[in-house]
Amino acid sequence: MTGDDGWLRWVVAVPLVVLHAIAAWFVYTALTIRAAGSWDDEARAGVELSCVFAIVASGVALLITLLPSIRRAMGVWWLVPPLLMGAIAACRWVVGG
């Protein structure tokens, strides 16, 4: 690790945390939206949209984290949140979307 890695961590950590928070919000909304009945297409559309946004935000965070210089400076554990939230959103989309 060089002296520049400390600055790189801060410069990259802030957008990653923001992306993780956005993805977490959409995962939360996807998990809390409930359809009132079989006729409630708007609720199902809301779940799908929340899942898509969560997967996109997680994917962007994952792509940033997979860059070799970022991964070297930040560490491998930064891969866990986007993978976990993306998997939860995908499961919710498949099961309840």
Side-chain angles (χ1 to χ4, degrees):
M1 180 174 10
T2 66
D4 293 337
D5 285 348
W7 286 105
L8 182 61
R9 280 188 194 151
W10 280 102
V11 168
V12 175
V14 171
L16 282 177
V17 168
V18 170
L19 283 170
H20 293 165
I22 290 168
W25 172 255
F26 284 118
V27 167
Y28 171 77
T29 58
L31 293 174
T32 56
I33 294 173
R34 300 282 181 236
S38 60
W39 48 267
D40 197 358
D41 293 333
E42 291 173 355
R44 279 192 286 284
V47 169
E48 279 186 29
L49 191 61
S50 292
C51 290
V52 167
F53 286 156
I55 291 170
V56 167
S58 295
V60 170
L62 187 64
L63 288 175
I64 291 170
T65 308
L66 284 175
L67 294 171
S69 59
I70 305 298
R71 193 176 60 241
R72 194 171 36 252
M74 300 298 287
V76 187
W77 73 271
W78 280 84
L79 294 170
V80 175
L83 287 173
L84 183 64
M85 287 185 280
I88 292 170
C91 289
R92 174 65 171 134
W93 190 0
V94 169
V95 171

